Amino acid sequence: MTTSETTLNEAEERDDTPVETPEDNTKKGAKKNRATRMRAKFLDTLYGHPLKDMKLIAITGTAGKVEVAHFVHEILRAAGQPVAIMASESNIKVSALHKFLSKAWKAGANYVVVTAPAEALSSDVFYGLPVHVAAITNYMDASIAEKPVEEYVEASKTLFDMEPDYVVLNRDDKNYPELSTFAGQKGTLTYGCDKFSNIQIEEAQLYKKGVEARLAIGTTHFTVASFLTGEPIVSYMAAATAIADALHVTPEKISEGIANYTK
């Protein structure tokens, strides 16, 4: 046997490969988050604090973020508001987020609609930003298998700890009892089929080429419809309606905006 050869037992006996413990991973994560927070503060200052002139709408959840974001974007456009959108199911880097905010500000946007994946929230990508509306779509989709519910709730806590003006929650979500601890500084709105929802889904109809739902905001009843298909779209339309209601958009413009969005 040459000097470069060894047996499995010998390798095992002298194996000095570092072993990472949960505590080590926690320390690494905390160090990475500190670096992200420092970078976020730097970029916000570098770009001139663009959110001083715009309102941030952040949408999180395991599914439906992108659809809800686009519904809200179209609703605000229908209401005549200059608005920019950054919507993706993928993670967001802190540099990309701040560059987007800067471009939106220079373009004269009053509102920015951004999806907030759990990974971005848990790594403090949104650190230090004033949030006008924070909304959760749901934790009920099949993608929940990727991570335990507790991790998503903990990540969302990062967003809601930023003291948003308004919070929008899905009252039909089976995890609503845990999520109901989140509250907005100016108000909290809920949506769903549940009769106690602020935006109640009274009835819905599914078609081959779209969906339609009758919603109620207090004593006001109106219909929203989309060319997107599938039962979850009903909930996403209600979520967008709740966000728009927090922004004081009329039911007429809500219906118009939702109808305008097509993939």
Side-chain angles (χ1 to χ4, degrees):
M1 184 167 60
T2 65
T3 55
S4 62
E5 295 176 327
T6 186
T7 66
L8 178 60
N9 287 339
E10 289 173 336
E12 290 176 343
E13 288 175 0
R14 71 185 197 195
D15 185 7
D16 56 358
T17 303
V19 177
E20 289 192 352
T21 66
E23 184 179 0
D24 293 331
N25 291 332
T26 300
K27 288 180 179 179
K28 283 185 177 180
K31 184 177 181 181
K32 184 177 180 180
N33 282 19
R34 283 196 297 272
T36 299
R37 290 195 293 269
M38 290 178 64
R39 185 163 177 75
K41 290 178 67 175
F42 169 76
L43 290 171
D44 190 37
T45 301
L46 177 68
Y47 288 122
H49 309 290
L51 284 177
K52 69 179 184 294
D53 297 318
M54 302 185 297
K55 293 181 178 179
L56 171 62
I57 301 164
I59 304 167
T60 191
T62 60
K65 295 186 293 292
V66 171
E67 288 82 357
V68 174
H70 280 288
F71 280 143
V72 173
H73 177 247
E74 291 297 337
I75 289 169
L76 287 171
R77 288 183 64 191
Q81 291 290 344
V83 55
I85 183 171
M86 184 180 190
S88 173
E89 294 290 350
S90 303
N91 189 28
I92 298 174
K93 293 185 177 180
V94 65
S95 56
L97 175 60
H98 283 269
K99 186 175 293 185
F100 160 74
L101 294 175
S102 177
K103 287 183 177 180
W105 181 43
K106 291 176 181 177
N110 289 339
Y111 293 92
V112 283
V113 184
V114 183
T115 50
E119 186 177 353
L121 292 174
S122 60
S123 58
D124 283 337
V125 167
F126 287 80
Y127 178 77
L129 297 179
V131 181
H132 186 57
V133 180
I136 298 182
T137 56
N138 63 51
Y139 288 105
M140 301 167 66
D141 190 80
S143 62
I144 193 64
E146 296 175 8
K147 288 185 179 181
V149 172
E150 292 77 14
E151 288 190 31
Y152 282 102
V153 174
E154 189 61 30
S156 298
K157 189 174 184 296
T158 302
L159 176 62
F160 295 104
D161 280 348
M162 294 170 67
E163 300 183 346
D165 293 329
Y166 294 94
V167 162
V168 172
L169 303 173
N170 182 355
R171 201 175 186 101
D172 290 341
D173 195 301
K174 64 181 180 181
N175 300 293
Y176 176 73
E178 290 105 309
L179 303 175
S180 63
T181 59
F182 301 140
Q185 298 299 301
K186 295 182 179 179
T188 302
L189 289 85
T190 61
Y191 64 93
C193 296
D194 185 286
K195 66 179 181 179
F196 294 108
S197 301
N198 298 109
I199 288 73
Q200 185 182 1
I201 303 169
E202 295 185 310
E203 58 181 351
Q205 184 68 49
L206 307 182
Y207 303 104
K208 288 184 178 180
K209 295 185 178 180
V211 297
E212 185 178 69
R214 185 166 176 78
L215 306 179
I217 303 177
T219 59
T220 302
H221 305 266
F222 60 103
T223 299
V224 293
S226 171
F227 286 109
L228 303 187
T229 58
E231 186 175 356
I233 300 301
V234 175
S235 178
Y236 303 158
M237 292 192 300
T241 298
I243 294 170
D245 188 50
L247 302 176
H248 308 295
V249 179
T250 65
E252 179 185 5
K253 294 302 179 183
I254 291 172
S255 296
E256 180 182 341
I258 287 176
N260 286 343
Y261 175 52
T262 57
K263 288 186 177 180

